[in-house]
Amino acid sequence: MLVSSTELFHIADKKNFAIPATNFIDALTAKVYTETAESLGLPLILAYAESHQDYLSLEEAAWIGKHYAEKVSVPIVLHLDHGSDPTFIKEAIRLGFTSVMIDGSSLSFEDNVQVTKSIVEYAHSHGVVVEGEIGHVGSNTVSYEGEDNDQSQYTTLSEAKAFSQSTGIDSLAISIGTAHGEYTGKPEINFERLNEIDKELSVPLVLHGGSSTGDENLKRCAREGMRKINIFTDLIVAAHKEAQTQTPHYMALRDNLERGFKEVLTHYYHVFETQPIELKG
């Protein structure tokens, strides 16, 4: 069931859990993610990143995402992750994405506000919700987001408040110590900053760079305010390991990849303490 994230985040906030956001890069990944969500009776953010357009075009992603979302009964949000090009984001909205992210976190605060506000106005006029980012989640040693070095900038409470009020965003990605890609060590999460921001802001908070952050860290993030947690690298790594467990002909390789994706997503559903959501109407 293809839906917006608004009511999902509202329920998650009331019950203190997070919903996983999983990036798909082809039909197989979208199929496994949505079927896993369906088998567990749990909601999912099915995400496609602008940086993945070399693997899968936006048009293909929209068709695949809507196709698999509409084949299941659980709530599925089709989300554009890390959009930076306003034209690309507007095209995603036209093609049927129900949620988009405008990532202006590498810009100055003023420029980030300006571009985010313009996307919010356009998206809201089409019934689509918008995620913004303040602070900057960089990358570690290996990244699938097109970055090659860690340039994280932690989110401050004052900027988070001003950014939210100035743009009218529906959810906010903040930087509190995670990074994209594989970690060389265990990250230190600034829970004090998370609690400060969660207490002062009414919009749902989003955590990028969830992979390999540690189960206890992520469980605590979900319990203390994060309503959407992005995982991608751990899914890809697990699938790669499964693919090496036997000499693969095509069908065996496919089965192994599916098993790796499903096991990791199921694990994170438990870590995030995600609960079923039944939507009315």
Side-chain angles (χ1 to χ4, degrees):
M1 175 175 30
L2 186 63
V3 301
S4 171
S5 61
T6 302
E7 190 171 353
L8 303 190
F9 288 160
H10 176 69
I11 294 171
D13 195 52
K14 288 176 63 177
K15 297 185 177 181
N16 283 325
F17 65 82
I19 301 170
T22 56
N23 284 72
F24 69 99
I25 53 175
D26 54 21
L28 174 62
T29 45
K31 177 177 182 289
V32 176
Y33 298 156
T34 53
E35 288 182 349
T36 301
E38 177 80 347
S39 69
L40 297 172
L42 297 173
L44 178 70
I45 314 293
L46 185 63
Y48 163 79
E50 182 180 320
S51 62
H52 292 155
Q53 58 186 303
D54 289 342
Y55 305 105
L56 187 71
S57 73
L58 178 61
E59 292 79 7
E60 291 171 318
W63 187 92
I64 289 170
K66 290 187 291 184
H67 174 74
Y68 286 109
E70 290 167 354
K71 285 175 69 71
V72 298
S73 61
V74 294
I76 306 290
V77 177
L78 181 58
H79 175 70
L80 177 67
D81 192 29
H82 287 289
S84 59
D85 178 0
T87 301
F88 192 90
I89 296 171
K90 291 176 181 179
E91 180 65 6
I93 293 170
R94 188 189 70 79
L95 289 170
F97 280 73
T98 59
S99 172
V100 295
M101 177 190 185
I102 169 64
D103 184 357
S105 61
S106 62
L107 304 174
S108 69
F109 180 82
E110 293 76 15
D111 288 345
N112 192 359
V113 167
Q114 182 178 17
V115 70
T116 301
K117 185 176 180 180
S118 68
I119 292 297
V120 168
E121 291 172 351
Y122 182 86
H124 284 183
S125 71
H126 291 77
V128 173
V129 297
V130 180
E131 172 188 330
E133 181 172 337
I134 191 69
H136 180 67
V137 179
S139 65
N140 274 290
T141 54
V142 177
S143 174
Y144 297 92
E145 302 292 344
E147 301 168 315
D148 58 7
N149 64 317
D150 187 2
Q151 296 177 332
S152 298
Q153 297 172 358
Y154 284 15
T155 305
T156 66
L157 174 59
S158 60
E159 285 193 328
K161 290 175 65 175
F163 185 77
S164 176
Q165 293 167 358
S166 299
T167 60
I169 52 168
D170 301 284
S171 61
L172 178 64
I174 61 173
S175 176
I176 56 170
T178 58
H180 295 122
E182 291 184 278
Y183 289 102
T184 55
K186 189 175 181 180
E188 295 291 331
I189 305 300
N190 190 335
F191 288 104
E192 181 179 354
R193 183 67 53 84
L194 169 58
N195 292 331
E196 280 182 342
I197 295 173
D198 182 53
K199 181 180 178 180
E200 294 292 331
L201 267 65
S202 59
V203 298
L205 300 180
V206 172
L207 184 71
H208 286 261
S211 289
S212 302
T213 297
D215 289 356
E216 290 306 312
N217 278 338
L218 293 176
K219 187 184 295 289
R220 186 174 171 186
C221 283
R223 288 177 174 177
E224 297 186 18
M226 290 297 181
R227 299 298 156 235
K228 168 177 170 276
I229 299 178
N230 288 38
I231 52 171
F232 177 57
T233 301
D234 279 356
L235 290 158
I236 297 298
V237 170
H240 177 69
K241 289 180 179 177
E242 283 292 335
Q244 295 177 315
T245 60
Q246 66 184 65
T247 302
H249 56 76
Y250 178 76
M251 294 308 294
L253 173 62
R254 184 183 176 91
D255 289 344
N256 286 3
L257 290 172
E258 287 190 20
R259 184 164 55 251
F261 291 132
K262 183 175 182 178
E263 287 178 355
V264 172
L265 179 53
T266 299
H267 171 76
Y268 278 121
Y269 268 127
H270 291 303
V271 172
F272 301 165
E273 301 178 318
T274 313
Q275 298 180 32
I277 294 178
E278 294 185 10
L279 300 178
K280 299 178 182 179

